[in-house]
Short mmCIF file of all heavy atoms in Angstrom, two decimals:
data_model
loop_
_atom_site.label_atom_id
_atom_site.label_comp_id
_atom_site.label_asym_id
_atom_site.label_seq_id
_atom_site.Cartn_x
_atom_site.Cartn_y
_atom_site.Cartn_z
N VAL A 17 -18.08 -1.51 -1.30
CA VAL A 17 -18.94 -2.20 -2.22
C VAL A 17 -18.40 -3.43 -2.81
O VAL A 17 -19.04 -4.43 -2.78
CB VAL A 17 -19.35 -1.11 -3.41
CG1 VAL A 17 -20.21 -1.94 -4.47
CG2 VAL A 17 -20.09 0.06 -2.84
N VAL A 26 -17.87 -15.62 -1.74
CA VAL A 26 -17.26 -16.66 -0.85
C VAL A 26 -18.29 -17.45 -0.10
O VAL A 26 -18.36 -18.76 0.09
CB VAL A 26 -16.33 -15.99 0.14
CG1 VAL A 26 -15.74 -16.89 1.21
CG2 VAL A 26 -15.17 -15.29 -0.50
N LYS A 30 -17.69 -19.87 -4.13
CA LYS A 30 -16.99 -19.56 -5.36
C LYS A 30 -15.61 -19.04 -5.10
O LYS A 30 -15.45 -18.28 -4.06
CB LYS A 30 -17.90 -18.62 -6.14
CG LYS A 30 -19.15 -19.22 -6.66
CD LYS A 30 -19.95 -18.28 -7.51
CE LYS A 30 -21.03 -19.11 -8.22
NZ LYS A 30 -22.18 -18.16 -8.46
N SER A 58 -5.33 -14.62 -11.88
CA SER A 58 -4.97 -13.17 -11.78
C SER A 58 -6.19 -12.34 -11.33
O SER A 58 -7.17 -12.38 -11.81
CB SER A 58 -4.69 -12.74 -13.16
OG SER A 58 -4.59 -11.37 -13.35
N ILE A 60 -5.75 -9.07 -11.41
CA ILE A 60 -5.72 -7.92 -12.27
C ILE A 60 -6.62 -8.32 -13.60
O ILE A 60 -6.30 -9.39 -14.21
CB ILE A 60 -4.40 -7.50 -12.65
CG1 ILE A 60 -3.55 -7.31 -11.37
CG2 ILE A 60 -4.42 -6.33 -13.64
CD1 ILE A 60 -2.09 -6.99 -11.63
N ILE A 61 -7.55 -7.54 -14.00
CA ILE A 61 -8.38 -7.82 -15.10
C ILE A 61 -7.54 -7.39 -16.39
O ILE A 61 -7.13 -6.25 -16.52
CB ILE A 61 -9.72 -6.95 -15.04
CG1 ILE A 61 -10.44 -7.42 -13.89
CG2 ILE A 61 -10.51 -7.31 -16.29
CD1 ILE A 61 -11.73 -6.55 -13.51
N ALA A 63 -6.83 -6.20 -20.27
CA ALA A 63 -7.45 -5.10 -20.97
C ALA A 63 -8.57 -5.70 -21.75
O ALA A 63 -8.49 -6.84 -22.26
CB ALA A 63 -6.48 -4.46 -21.93
N LEU A 91 -21.93 1.26 -14.74
CA LEU A 91 -22.81 1.78 -13.76
C LEU A 91 -22.20 2.97 -13.07
O LEU A 91 -21.10 2.78 -12.48
CB LEU A 91 -23.17 0.63 -12.72
CG LEU A 91 -23.74 -0.58 -13.23
CD1 LEU A 91 -24.27 -1.41 -11.99
CD2 LEU A 91 -25.00 -0.36 -14.15
N ARG A 106 -6.67 26.41 -12.87
CA ARG A 106 -7.97 27.07 -13.08
C ARG A 106 -8.61 26.46 -14.31
O ARG A 106 -9.12 27.18 -15.30
CB ARG A 106 -7.85 28.48 -13.14
CG ARG A 106 -7.68 29.22 -11.82
CD ARG A 106 -7.35 30.56 -11.90
NE ARG A 106 -5.89 30.72 -11.69
CZ ARG A 106 -5.21 31.85 -12.10
NH1 ARG A 106 -5.70 32.88 -12.66
NH2 ARG A 106 -3.89 31.87 -11.98
N THR A 111 -16.21 17.96 -18.34
CA THR A 111 -17.57 17.33 -18.47
C THR A 111 -17.83 16.84 -19.91
O THR A 111 -18.28 15.76 -20.19
CB THR A 111 -18.76 18.35 -18.05
OG1 THR A 111 -18.40 18.66 -16.74
CG2 THR A 111 -20.15 17.68 -18.08
N GLU A 117 -17.09 10.24 -24.12
CA GLU A 117 -16.53 8.85 -23.98
C GLU A 117 -17.70 7.90 -23.39
O GLU A 117 -17.91 6.85 -23.92
CB GLU A 117 -15.45 8.84 -22.86
CG GLU A 117 -14.17 9.37 -23.40
CD GLU A 117 -13.52 8.47 -24.38
OE1 GLU A 117 -13.86 7.31 -24.51
OE2 GLU A 117 -12.74 8.97 -25.28
N ASP A 129 -26.74 8.47 -4.37
CA ASP A 129 -26.82 9.39 -3.21
C ASP A 129 -28.19 9.90 -2.94
O ASP A 129 -28.62 10.15 -1.86
CB ASP A 129 -25.76 10.52 -3.64
CG ASP A 129 -24.35 10.13 -3.73
OD1 ASP A 129 -24.05 9.41 -2.94
OD2 ASP A 129 -23.50 10.63 -4.55
N VAL A 131 -31.00 8.38 -3.56
CA VAL A 131 -31.81 7.30 -2.87
C VAL A 131 -31.40 7.23 -1.37
O VAL A 131 -32.18 7.11 -0.59
CB VAL A 131 -31.62 6.00 -3.60
CG1 VAL A 131 -32.41 4.89 -2.82
CG2 VAL A 131 -32.28 6.17 -5.08
N SER A 134 -32.92 9.94 0.55
CA SER A 134 -34.34 9.83 0.69
C SER A 134 -34.59 8.83 1.75
O SER A 134 -35.67 8.72 2.46
CB SER A 134 -34.94 9.50 -0.59
OG SER A 134 -34.78 8.02 -0.86
N VAL A 149 -25.85 -3.04 -8.96
CA VAL A 149 -25.04 -3.99 -9.60
C VAL A 149 -25.78 -5.42 -9.54
O VAL A 149 -25.70 -6.05 -10.65
CB VAL A 149 -23.67 -4.13 -8.77
CG1 VAL A 149 -22.76 -5.09 -9.56
CG2 VAL A 149 -22.90 -2.78 -8.86
N SER A 151 -28.86 -6.09 -9.54
CA SER A 151 -29.97 -6.11 -10.50
C SER A 151 -29.60 -6.34 -12.00
O SER A 151 -30.49 -6.62 -12.81
CB SER A 151 -30.85 -4.84 -10.34
OG SER A 151 -30.17 -3.78 -10.92
N SER A 161 -27.33 -14.63 -0.62
CA SER A 161 -25.90 -14.45 -0.38
C SER A 161 -25.51 -13.05 -0.16
O SER A 161 -24.73 -12.63 0.73
CB SER A 161 -24.90 -15.01 -1.48
OG SER A 161 -25.49 -16.26 -1.98
N SER A 169 -21.14 -7.74 7.20
CA SER A 169 -20.23 -6.53 7.09
C SER A 169 -20.67 -5.49 8.03
O SER A 169 -19.98 -4.49 8.25
CB SER A 169 -20.26 -6.03 5.63
OG SER A 169 -20.03 -6.90 4.82
N ALA A 181 -32.07 -0.11 1.32
CA ALA A 181 -31.13 0.57 0.37
C ALA A 181 -30.85 -0.58 -0.72
O ALA A 181 -30.85 -0.18 -1.95
CB ALA A 181 -29.89 0.96 1.02
N LYS A 187 -34.22 -1.31 -8.02
CA LYS A 187 -35.20 -0.73 -8.80
C LYS A 187 -34.58 0.34 -9.83
O LYS A 187 -35.32 0.66 -10.76
CB LYS A 187 -36.27 0.01 -7.95
CG LYS A 187 -37.13 -0.98 -7.08
CD LYS A 187 -38.00 -0.20 -6.02
CE LYS A 187 -38.52 -1.12 -5.02
NZ LYS A 187 -39.16 -0.34 -3.89
N THR A 191 -35.81 1.55 -14.01
CA THR A 191 -36.19 2.81 -14.40
C THR A 191 -35.31 3.42 -15.50
O THR A 191 -35.76 3.88 -16.56
CB THR A 191 -36.04 3.90 -13.21
OG1 THR A 191 -36.25 3.09 -12.01
CG2 THR A 191 -37.07 5.04 -13.28
N SER A 193 -33.54 1.71 -17.71
CA SER A 193 -33.68 1.00 -19.03
C SER A 193 -34.98 1.51 -19.62
O SER A 193 -35.17 1.69 -20.90
CB SER A 193 -33.57 -0.36 -18.96
OG SER A 193 -33.35 -0.80 -17.60
#
Side-chain angles (χ1 to χ4, degrees):
Chain A
V17 173
V26 177
K30 290 184 169 151
S58 166
I60 305 172
I61 302 172
L91 298 190
R106 279 171 266 160
T111 304
E117 285 294 336
D129 291 325
V131 172
S134 74
V149 179
S151 72
S161 318
S169 311
K187 294 175 194 163
T191 328
S193 358

